[in-house]
Amino acid sequence: MIAMVKVLVAAPLHEKAVEVLKKAGFEVLYEEYPDEDRLIELVKDVEAIIVRSKPKVTRKVIENAPKLKVIGRAGVGLDNIDLEAAKEMGIKVVNSPGASSRSVAELVFGLLFAVARKIAFADRKMREGVWAKKQCLGIELEGKTIGIIGFGRIGYEVAKIANAFGMKVLLYDPRPNEERAREVNGRFVPLEELLKESDVVTLHVPLIEATYHLINEERLKLMKPTAILINAARGAVVDNKALVKALKEGWIAGAGLDVYEEEPLPEDHPLTKLDNVVLTPHVGASTEEAQMRAGVQVAEQIVEILKG
């Protein structure tokens, strides 16, 4: 009797993705977010692992998985997978980078509206029984300039939405794609120019050595005092201490954040005490559609690899 191929799903996965694996004849094992020791126990006879932003697939895990052929990350980043160890062991690593692009782009505008029209602040005051109409003077987006730092899949989607609102689009990327920029009426400029000219600055870069604290005290001071900063990329792309200072001292008008240098964000973090910042708990990809696409895309790649 031929043994069934085993796939370990170590994080929540959309039911349609699980269906793809089962239809391929695979046995699906499920345990949500096991720690390293437990993961080592679970991987001894599996040929594929599927994770999200956690758990971590460390070198130790990989070295204790003799049958492992592929690691799937249902999402974009690969920060939690030891890519070097996987390469040494001949294990393929796949992900679904485009699955959440639209979801993240839409959240950018949700955060932007919440800051620009003081929606979160107004809601909070209403619940406190305060009619804070005079404190809720906002701004319109039409005619404003949005600066998009990182013009990949998500940056492109953000630019498309910005076009619909009649915004001017400035772009910064180390590898400018002029053809794609023309599709969204965007113009590539140096980073300093983008920061100085934009009414809204939104970040869409990976966290690598070159982008760590890309937005620091010096660059926050380049921005307009009326500008809004949005970060739905990676927390450490922004120096959070410098951002708190900028928000308190009025270097910029406000910020919308979905990611943080420390997650979960500590309850007593200075950002939680400010009225000119809107905070969400890393939910950029948390839509039904994005979760389905991310899971299915990874499951399909795993089936293709394991079936040869």
Side-chain angles (χ1 to χ4, degrees), residues 157-264:
E157 290 293 331
V158 169
K160 280 167 56 180
I161 298 171
N163 277 193
F165 284 112
M167 301 182 81
K168 299 170 187 173
V169 177
L170 295 182
L171 306 168
Y172 171 76
D173 195 290
R175 292 176 292 181
N177 185 327
E178 297 289 353
E179 185 179 341
R180 292 275 278 175
R182 283 193 291 273
E183 291 175 15
V184 293
N185 304 305
R187 179 167 62 92
F188 283 103
V189 295
L191 180 57
E192 287 70 22
E193 183 179 338
L194 180 148
L195 293 169
K196 288 176 182 176
E197 298 299 324
S198 298
D199 300 294
V200 179
V201 173
T202 179
L203 301 160
H204 302 290
V205 296
L207 179 59
I208 56 177
E209 189 176 348
T211 60
Y212 177 77
H213 284 186
L214 179 70
I215 302 302
N216 52 24
E217 188 168 315
E218 180 185 351
R219 286 179 171 143
L220 285 163
K221 285 180 177 177
L222 292 176
M223 293 172 64
K224 296 179 181 181
T226 54
I228 295 169
L229 178 70
I230 306 292
N231 187 13
R234 287 291 183 265
V237 171
V238 177
D239 180 342
N240 281 193
K241 287 183 180 177
L243 178 59
V244 168
K245 194 174 180 182
L247 291 165
K248 281 183 174 179
E249 298 185 10
W251 305 348
I252 63 173
L257 307 175
D258 186 47
V259 290
Y260 311 91
E261 290 194 76
E262 183 182 352
E263 295 185 5

Side-chain angles (χ1 to χ4, degrees), residues 18-161:
V18 176
E19 283 174 23
V20 169
L21 297 169
K22 288 183 175 178
K23 280 182 181 177
F26 299 164
E27 180 182 350
V28 179
L29 311 174
Y30 178 75
E31 185 162 327
E32 187 174 322
Y33 302 138
D35 61 23
E36 185 180 56
D37 289 341
R38 178 59 179 156
L39 193 52
I40 288 169
E41 288 178 33
L42 293 168
V43 298
K44 292 193 183 300
D45 61 349
V46 304
E47 293 186 39
I49 307 171
I50 298 179
V51 297
R52 297 192 65 81
S53 57
K54 56 182 184 178
K56 288 186 177 182
V57 184
T58 62
R59 176 177 289 275
K60 195 173 176 183
V61 170
I62 291 168
E63 288 175 346
N64 280 277
K67 294 184 179 180
L68 190 62
K69 293 185 176 69
V70 56
I71 301 167
R73 159 72 160 100
V76 182
L78 297 170
D79 320 45
N80 57 316
I81 299 169
D82 191 323
L83 299 176
E84 189 177 331
K87 186 177 180 180
E88 287 174 16
M89 303 288 285
I91 296 164
K92 293 183 183 294
V93 178
V94 298
N95 67 343
S96 49
S100 61
S101 298
R102 185 69 187 193
S103 295
V104 176
E106 289 186 7
L107 179 68
V108 165
F109 280 87
L111 290 168
L112 177 51
F113 277 118
V115 179
R117 296 304 304 270
K118 299 182 172 62
I119 293 170
F121 171 79
D123 176 77
R124 198 157 57 246
K125 289 299 178 185
M126 289 290 286
R127 294 171 191 275
E128 293 170 1
V130 179
W131 189 261
K133 184 173 181 176
K134 289 183 179 179
Q135 297 165 263
C136 292
L137 183 67
I139 60 166
E140 295 179 356
L141 299 189
E142 187 175 18
K144 300 296 190 297
T145 297
I146 185 168
I148 301 171
I149 300 176
F151 190 55
R153 295 177 182 88
I154 298 172
Y156 179 77
E157 290 293 331
V158 169
K160 280 167 56 180
I161 298 171

